[in-house]
Amino acid sequence: MKKRSVKSPLSRLLTLALFGLLAMGACKSKKKVVEAAPEPAPVEEPAPEPEKEMEPSEEEVAVGKLENYFSVIANSSNVQSANRSIQEALSMFANQNTPVLIVIHEENGIKDYDQPTTIEAYLNYLKDTKKNLNFISDVRLNGSGKVTELELRRR
């Protein structure tokens, strides 16, 4: 049989103690590194001013109303309601012959338009086709708030 030496349990104990100290030392050194990093000073931001609700411009209001009219006319269930909506929409224009320009292509700021039409013809087109494929990209108003020119683009 082998004799166990006294050194064997003692060396195991010392080895375990050494690993324990190294493990604890490694954890402490990480903590020290983390703790040593200075915390950024809180930045005092000026109190945000309450946002002022801006009134929409005349053009934005007109665009919203016209987009609604276009949708109602295209989706109307009968001819009478479409004609009624057309008459309401026409009241927003300077006259029934207000030009409607439809942009079919734009490159380098140069726009190509479809054949010009009038607002009355365009509204009747919406009523007949029941499709609203365009959106308003520009609207021009006169001094009294009536639309004098309308520019549309494909969706």
Side-chain angles (χ1 to χ4, degrees), residues 59 61-70 73 85-101 117-124 126 136 138-152:
E59 288 85 6
V61 171
V63 167
K65 287 181 180 179
L66 287 173
E67 288 285 357
N68 187 42
Y69 279 127
F70 292 171
I73 292 167
S85 296
I86 287 173
Q87 290 307 313
E88 289 175 22
L90 285 174
S91 69
M92 294 183 63
F93 291 85
N95 61 49
Q96 294 181 1
N97 295 323
T98 299
V100 176
L101 305 171
T117 187
T118 63
I119 188 58
E120 184 178 31
Y122 183 73
L123 294 174
N124 283 312
L126 289 175
I136 299 171
D138 190 26
V139 63
R140 304 241 170 88
L141 303 176
N142 63 13
S144 61
K146 300 282 187 175
V147 178
T148 58
E149 187 177 306
L150 192 62
E151 185 178 277
L152 306 174

Side-chain angles (χ1 to χ4, degrees), residues 107-119:
E107 190 173 327
N108 298 327
I110 299 172
K111 298 176 184 177
D112 290 328
Y113 296 99
D114 197 359
Q115 181 177 355
T117 187
T118 63
I119 188 58

Side-chain angles (χ1 to χ4, degrees), residues 28-55:
K28 284 184 180 178
S29 66
K30 286 181 183 176
K31 254 187 181 175
K32 287 179 185 176
V33 171
V34 171
E35 289 175 3
E39 291 185 25
V43 178
E44 292 184 28
E45 295 180 15
E49 295 180 20
E51 292 183 25
K52 297 176 183 174
E53 292 186 29
M54 300 200 54
E55 295 290 324

